[in-house]
Amino acid sequence: MRTRQKERETPGPSEPWNEIVPGLWMGGHYFTPPGGKLEPAIVRTGFDLVVSLFTLPGHGPAPGVEHVVREVPDAPLSPGQLLAVQEAAELTAAAVRRGRRTLVRCHSGYNRSGLVVAQALVGLGYDGGEAVRLVRERRSPWALNNAVFVDYLDTGLEVAVLLTGLNG
Protein backbone atom coordinates (compact mmCIF):
# COMPACT_ATOMS: atom_id res chain seq x y z
CA MET A 1 0.00 0.00 0.00
CA ARG A 2 2.83 2.40 0.82
CA THR A 3 4.40 1.96 -2.64
CA ARG A 4 1.12 2.78 -4.35
CA GLN A 5 0.79 5.97 -2.29
CA LYS A 6 4.36 6.95 -3.15
CA GLU A 7 3.61 6.42 -6.87
CA ARG A 8 0.50 8.64 -6.67
CA GLU A 9 2.48 11.46 -5.07
CA THR A 10 5.43 11.25 -7.47
CA PRO A 11 4.94 13.12 -10.73
CA GLY A 12 5.99 11.32 -13.86
CA PRO A 13 8.99 12.49 -15.87
CA SER A 14 8.39 15.25 -18.41
CA GLU A 15 10.81 13.78 -20.98
CA PRO A 16 11.38 10.21 -22.17
CA TRP A 17 15.09 10.40 -21.27
CA ASN A 18 17.71 12.89 -20.14
CA GLU A 19 21.48 13.08 -20.61
CA ILE A 20 23.19 12.74 -17.22
CA VAL A 21 26.78 13.14 -18.45
CA PRO A 22 27.97 13.18 -22.07
CA GLY A 23 26.97 9.89 -23.70
CA LEU A 24 25.00 8.55 -20.70
CA TRP A 25 21.23 8.90 -20.78
CA MET A 26 18.59 7.85 -18.26
CA GLY A 27 14.92 7.26 -18.99
CA GLY A 28 11.84 5.14 -18.75
CA HIS A 29 9.04 3.55 -20.70
CA TYR A 30 6.56 6.41 -20.08
CA PHE A 31 6.64 10.18 -19.71
CA THR A 32 4.17 13.06 -19.44
CA PRO A 33 5.12 16.13 -21.47
CA PRO A 34 4.22 19.49 -19.87
CA GLY A 35 0.46 19.98 -20.21
CA GLY A 36 0.11 16.60 -21.89
CA LYS A 37 -1.04 13.09 -21.14
CA LEU A 38 1.00 10.00 -20.32
CA GLU A 39 2.84 8.82 -23.45
CA PRO A 40 4.97 5.76 -24.18
CA ALA A 41 8.72 6.37 -24.50
CA ILE A 42 9.70 4.16 -27.40
CA VAL A 43 13.37 3.71 -28.24
CA ARG A 44 14.10 3.09 -31.88
CA THR A 45 17.60 4.25 -32.79
CA GLY A 46 19.83 7.04 -31.51
CA PHE A 47 21.58 4.90 -28.93
CA ASP A 48 24.38 2.37 -29.36
CA LEU A 49 23.42 0.48 -26.19
CA VAL A 50 20.15 0.29 -24.29
CA VAL A 51 20.22 -1.21 -20.80
CA SER A 52 16.72 -2.12 -19.58
CA LEU A 53 15.86 -2.87 -15.95
CA PHE A 54 12.19 -3.19 -16.97
CA THR A 55 10.77 -4.10 -20.39
CA LEU A 56 7.51 -3.88 -22.27
CA PRO A 57 6.75 -5.23 -25.73
CA GLY A 58 6.86 -2.59 -28.45
CA HIS A 59 9.03 -0.12 -26.54
CA GLY A 60 12.20 -0.94 -28.50
CA PRO A 61 14.97 -0.66 -29.17
CA ALA A 62 15.10 -1.21 -32.93
CA PRO A 63 16.78 -4.33 -34.32
CA GLY A 64 20.52 -3.82 -34.55
CA VAL A 65 20.74 -1.71 -31.38
CA GLU A 66 22.52 -3.63 -28.61
CA HIS A 67 20.01 -4.33 -25.84
CA VAL A 68 20.99 -5.66 -22.41
CA VAL A 69 18.11 -6.68 -20.12
CA ARG A 70 18.56 -7.14 -16.37
CA GLU A 71 15.04 -6.95 -14.95
CA VAL A 72 14.93 -6.07 -11.26
CA PRO A 73 12.11 -4.78 -9.05
CA ASP A 74 11.80 -1.28 -7.59
CA ALA A 75 12.06 -2.86 -4.13
CA PRO A 76 14.74 -4.27 -1.83
CA LEU A 77 17.00 -6.45 -3.97
CA SER A 78 18.37 -9.94 -3.43
CA PRO A 79 22.12 -10.57 -3.69
CA GLY A 80 21.62 -11.90 -7.24
CA GLN A 81 19.63 -8.84 -8.25
CA LEU A 82 22.31 -6.55 -6.78
CA LEU A 83 24.92 -8.43 -8.80
CA ALA A 84 22.79 -7.89 -11.94
CA VAL A 85 22.67 -4.16 -11.15
CA GLN A 86 26.42 -4.12 -10.63
CA GLU A 87 26.97 -5.92 -13.96
CA ALA A 88 24.64 -3.51 -15.77
CA ALA A 89 26.50 -0.55 -14.26
CA GLU A 90 29.87 -1.96 -15.32
CA LEU A 91 28.62 -2.54 -18.89
CA THR A 92 27.21 1.00 -18.91
CA ALA A 93 30.42 2.63 -17.67
CA ALA A 94 32.51 0.64 -20.18
CA ALA A 95 30.23 1.71 -23.05
CA VAL A 96 30.41 5.38 -22.04
CA ARG A 97 34.22 5.16 -21.80
CA ARG A 98 34.25 3.83 -25.38
CA GLY A 99 32.14 6.77 -26.57
CA ARG A 100 28.95 4.77 -27.11
CA ARG A 101 25.64 6.61 -26.64
CA THR A 102 24.05 4.63 -23.82
CA LEU A 103 20.50 4.71 -22.43
CA VAL A 104 19.66 3.08 -19.09
CA ARG A 105 15.92 2.76 -18.55
CA CYS A 106 13.29 1.31 -16.24
CA HIS A 107 9.55 1.96 -15.90
CA SER A 108 9.52 5.69 -15.13
CA GLY A 109 13.23 6.30 -15.31
CA TYR A 110 13.65 7.20 -11.66
CA ASN A 111 14.80 4.39 -9.36
CA ARG A 112 16.13 1.27 -11.04
CA SER A 113 17.72 3.22 -13.87
CA GLY A 114 18.95 5.77 -11.30
CA LEU A 115 20.67 3.03 -9.32
CA VAL A 116 22.47 1.70 -12.39
CA VAL A 117 23.37 5.16 -13.72
CA ALA A 118 24.66 6.35 -10.33
CA GLN A 119 26.73 3.17 -9.94
CA ALA A 120 28.06 3.62 -13.49
CA LEU A 121 29.04 7.18 -12.58
CA VAL A 122 30.93 5.82 -9.56
CA GLY A 123 32.71 3.49 -11.99
CA LEU A 124 33.55 6.53 -14.12
CA GLY A 125 35.21 8.26 -11.16
CA TYR A 126 32.41 10.23 -9.48
CA ASP A 127 31.83 9.80 -5.76
CA GLY A 128 28.48 8.37 -4.69
CA GLY A 129 27.01 11.62 -3.42
CA GLU A 130 27.93 13.48 -6.61
CA ALA A 131 26.47 10.64 -8.70
CA VAL A 132 23.12 10.84 -6.87
CA ARG A 133 23.13 14.64 -7.18
CA LEU A 134 23.77 14.48 -10.93
CA VAL A 135 20.99 11.93 -11.47
CA ARG A 136 18.49 14.10 -9.57
CA GLU A 137 19.66 17.33 -11.17
CA ARG A 138 19.68 16.07 -14.75
CA ARG A 139 16.75 13.60 -14.72
CA SER A 140 14.39 14.77 -11.98
CA PRO A 141 14.36 15.74 -8.31
CA TRP A 142 12.15 12.64 -7.94
CA ALA A 143 14.89 10.33 -9.26
CA LEU A 144 16.24 7.85 -6.73
CA ASN A 145 13.27 8.40 -4.40
CA ASN A 146 13.68 4.76 -3.32
CA ALA A 147 15.69 5.27 -0.11
CA VAL A 148 16.85 1.64 -0.13
CA PHE A 149 18.59 2.22 -3.47
CA VAL A 150 20.34 5.31 -2.12
CA ASP A 151 21.42 3.20 0.89
CA TYR A 152 22.91 0.64 -1.53
CA LEU A 153 24.91 3.41 -3.19
CA ASP A 154 26.02 4.87 0.16
CA THR A 155 27.09 1.44 1.39
CA GLY A 156 28.63 0.37 -1.93
CA LEU A 157 27.10 -2.38 -4.06
CA GLU A 158 29.84 -4.88 -3.21
CA VAL A 159 29.14 -4.50 0.53
CA ALA A 160 25.36 -4.40 -0.05
CA VAL A 161 25.58 -7.79 -1.81
CA LEU A 162 27.36 -9.27 1.21
CA LEU A 163 25.03 -7.69 3.78
CA THR A 164 21.90 -8.70 1.85
CA GLY A 165 23.22 -12.24 1.64
CA LEU A 166 23.40 -12.40 5.44
CA ASN A 167 19.63 -11.92 5.62
CA GLY A 168 18.97 -14.95 3.38
Side-chain angles (χ1 to χ4, degrees):
M1 185 69 162
R2 186 164 194 253
T3 300
R4 292 177 193 264
Q5 181 65 28
K6 178 185 79 167
E7 289 172 359
R8 280 196 300 269
E9 294 171 1
T10 304
S14 60
E15 298 183 42
W17 37 79
N18 301 88
E19 193 170 26
I20 307 304
V21 296
L24 177 55
W25 297 74
M26 180 174 151
H29 281 68
Y30 293 98
F31 71 107
T32 307
K37 296 181 180 179
L38 186 70
E39 294 183 22
I42 300 174
V43 179
R44 298 282 185 235
T45 59
F47 295 101
D48 301 307
L49 170 64
V50 175
V51 177
S52 297
L53 292 306
F54 171 88
T55 60
L56 283 174
H59 283 249
V65 174
E66 185 179 358
H67 189 203
V68 173
V69 177
R70 300 291 183 269
E71 291 203 29
V72 295
D74 185 0
L77 302 176
S78 70
Q81 291 165 334
L82 284 165
L83 289 170
V85 164
Q86 192 170 19
E87 178 192 16
E90 289 168 1
L91 290 169
T92 298
V96 171
R97 272 191 221 96
R98 289 193 314 268
R100 300 181 74 205
R101 278 179 58 96
T102 303
L103 170 65
V104 179
R105 66 183 183 161
C106 58
H107 185 272
S108 293
Y110 283 169
N111 286 313
R112 291 168 276 191
S113 59
L115 178 59
V116 169
V117 166
Q119 184 62 38
L121 289 171
V122 169
L124 292 168
Y126 293 83
D127 71 50
E130 177 71 359
V132 171
R133 186 191 67 74
L134 279 170
V135 163
R136 289 177 174 157
E137 178 183 290
R138 308 254 167 93
R139 176 63 176 161
S140 168
W142 296 99
L144 285 170
N145 63 60
N146 181 330
V148 172
F149 285 7
V150 176
D151 288 345
Y152 292 150
L153 292 164
D154 290 342
T155 302
L157 287 187
E158 298 84 7
V159 174
V161 168
L162 296 172
L163 293 174
T164 304
L166 294 175
N167 295 332

